[in-house]
Amino acid sequence: MWGFMRLRNVSTERRRRQRGSAMLEGGLTLIVFVSLFLGAIDLAQILLVHQALGERVRFAARATAVNCCNSDTVKNLVLYARTTRPDDTPGYYGLNSNNIAVTFSDQNTPDQRVTIRVSGYTYKSFTPMLSGISGNGIPIQVTIPLEQP
């Protein structure tokens, strides 16, 4: 009878230790999973900002190719999607006119072009380990020929 009781106590003790190790393994796995998940969200946000800015720059370049605007109008097209600046409206994704460079080349020739370059834009990280750290995005440049008047 005593042998049975001792065997029962040993198996109960073993199960307690296994429960503790399972909880520890689950906690470590959860930390790794959450870190990877938040990292994927950060990567998706970076790609979203870059794609959205690229589309806005292409929109401004196409509008400039058809309408032959000046550089201030092109900057307003990138920042606000309109030719004039609205009152107290922040720029697209926090951009300002210093982030945008507009260059007209080969003016009054058949090869005239406009080049719009956006650089120095930043994005915020959501990952707790990188919280509050801003990153600089990859510069975006679009060159398009201007239509002949």
Side-chain angles (χ1 to χ4, degrees):
M1 173 118 184
W2 290 105
F4 174 72
M5 290 292 280
R6 191 179 324 165
L7 184 61
R8 186 171 176 200
N9 287 339
V10 168
S11 65
T12 304
E13 186 67 30
R14 185 178 301 149
R15 272 189 257 139
R16 280 189 196 140
R17 278 186 273 146
Q18 287 176 348
R19 276 191 226 145
S21 65
M23 191 182 319
L24 179 66
E25 290 171 4
L28 292 174
T29 304
L30 184 66
I31 289 171
V32 170
F33 175 74
V34 168
S35 297
L36 288 173
F37 182 72
L38 290 175
I41 289 174
D42 271 346
L43 180 63
Q45 190 239 351
I46 291 167
L47 293 173
L48 172 78
V49 169
H50 190 268
Q51 179 65 26
L53 288 174
E55 284 299 313
R56 183 63 72 95
V57 171
R58 281 190 281 279
F59 162 75
R62 286 189 302 266
T64 304
V66 173
N67 299 327
C68 289
C69 311
N70 63 16
S71 61
D72 290 333
T73 306
V74 175
K75 288 181 182 183
N76 286 334
L77 282 171
V78 173
L79 292 172
Y80 313 111
R82 16 187 322 189
T83 56
T84 58
R85 183 178 195 272
D87 295 331
D88 298 329
T89 302
Y92 195 57
Y93 281 107
L95 288 178
N96 59 37
S97 60
N98 297 332
N99 298 113
I100 304 166
V102 180
T103 308
F104 292 95
S105 59
D106 298 327
Q107 292 252 314
N108 301 321
T109 67
D111 296 329
Q112 61 186 348
R113 297 182 171 278
V114 63
T115 301
I116 305 171
R117 181 179 173 89
V118 176
S119 60
Y121 63 93
T122 59
Y123 50 86
K124 291 271 189 187
S125 174
F126 292 128
T127 307
M129 283 92 48
L130 302 174
S131 181
I133 295 176
S134 296
N136 285 332
I138 299 170
I140 300 167
Q141 181 170 323
V142 174
T143 302
I144 192 167
L146 297 176
E147 287 190 6
Q148 298 295 321

